[in-house]
Amino acid sequence: MNRLILTTAALTLAAGTAMAADVVRIGTEGAYPPWNLINDAGEVDGFERELGDELCRRAELTCEWVVNDWDSIIPNLTSGNYDAIMAGMSITDEREAVIDFSQPYAPPEPSLYMAMSEDVDLNEAVIAVQTGTIQANYVVESGAVLVEFATLDESVSAVRNGEADAVLADSASILPIAEAEADMTVVGDQVFLGNGPGIGLRESDTELKEKFNAALQSMKDDGSLNELIKEWQVSILLW
């Protein structure tokens, strides 16, 4: 059964008026640091939590965070379990055929391979990726052998236990692991995929899209979005 967990304390970011604020439920995975994670207090944390909170404040929305498995995160948006997705989800043509997106909130970040040996032949290797990601599509097209896992952690574990030769994921997620783990190293060239992550929305929610876009643009204009990107190190590129 897929996880669908409402955070214990709903985040209230009302505008300080007597009018009741709109309530927006934001779905995230909570398992893709630094984009999103569950902290020691059991709460949604990470770059997207901090960004989402600020967007809701600027848009005068009351927001609740919902944790949902990655493999059902789009279906549960379209079925109405929440109103938006902030989960490191890159904007792609395939996804735009099903849902709508805000403008991107981070520049496209290169993906990196990580392995336990620098000698791995990526053209002949078994590559572990998180299922349903743009990296999975790339591996299929590259001709390498693809193995998919529900989470990034499981993909990394597959390399450690010999199920896969390398893992491919966003550089913001790969680099901290490679730097912290002596048995892991970045291999091969950078791979540029997608158009950057955006807020996933139902195609009918045009008003909500406009509110998020306005808030995002204001953060780009005043430099605060770049500050968050640097703080959480989700991209080497800035707006």
Side-chain angles (χ1 to χ4, degrees):
M1 184 175 181
N2 290 320
R3 284 183 295 129
L4 184 59
I5 306 171
L6 189 63
T7 51
T8 54
L11 172 70
T12 302
L13 295 168
T17 68
M19 296 179 61
D22 294 328
V23 177
V24 173
R25 295 160 297 167
I26 304 175
T28 193
E29 183 188 12
Y32 204 66
W35 297 93
N36 57 83
L37 59 128
I38 304 300
N39 62 24
D40 292 340
E43 299 175 343
V44 174
D45 204 344
F47 167 75
E48 284 164 322
R49 173 63 192 263
E50 192 168 347
L51 173 59
D53 290 356
E54 179 60 17
L55 293 176
C56 289
R57 187 190 70 80
R58 294 188 184 215
E60 301 182 355
L61 299 168
T62 299
C63 293
E64 297 174 348
W65 288 86
V66 179
V67 178
N68 191 92
D69 288 336
W70 172 260
D71 61 0
S72 62
I73 203 164
I74 289 179
N76 279 335
L77 169 70
T78 58
S79 64
N81 289 330
Y82 34 80
D83 307 297
I85 296 171
M86 293 187 71
M89 181 175 286
S90 294
I91 302 168
T92 66
D93 293 341
E94 293 81 3
R95 289 170 180 157
E96 286 190 306
V98 181
I99 62 174
D100 203 354
F101 282 94
S102 70
Q103 61 175 281
Y105 50 76
E109 179 73 0
S111 295
L112 295 174
Y113 290 98
M114 182 174 66
M116 298 185 69
S117 169
E118 294 182 353
D119 298 329
V120 61
D121 182 353
L122 295 174
N123 294 320
E124 302 292 334
V126 176
I127 308 297
V129 302
Q130 185 174 10
T131 187
T133 60
I134 56 176
Q135 288 84 13
N137 293 337
Y138 175 81
V139 172
V140 170
E141 294 172 358
S142 74
V145 178
L146 169 70
V147 288
E148 296 181 89
F149 297 88
T151 67
L152 174 62
D153 285 345
E154 292 176 15
S155 301
V156 174
S157 294
V159 177
R160 287 200 173 99
N161 63 31
E163 293 180 69
D165 300 307
V167 57
L168 178 65
D170 293 333
S171 59
S173 297
I174 288 292
L175 287 175
I177 300 172
E179 292 169 358
E181 304 293 337
D183 60 343
M184 289 290 187
T185 185
V186 173
V187 297
D189 296 327
Q190 295 180 344
V191 180
F192 286 88
L193 303 169
N195 300 307
I199 302 170
L201 301 154
R202 287 183 290 272
E203 292 180 336
S204 59
D205 286 342
T206 55
E207 183 178 354
L208 184 57
K209 177 181 177 179
E210 290 173 1
K211 288 183 178 182
F212 275 133
N213 275 340
L216 275 168
Q217 191 59 53
S218 71
M219 292 188 70
K220 290 178 180 180
D221 291 343
D222 66 19
S224 57
L225 183 51
N226 279 342
E227 291 304 312
L228 272 184
I229 289 172
K230 289 187 287 186
E231 176 187 345
W232 286 98
Q233 299 180 7
V234 295
S235 177
I236 58 175
L237 306 174
L238 300 174
W239 296 110

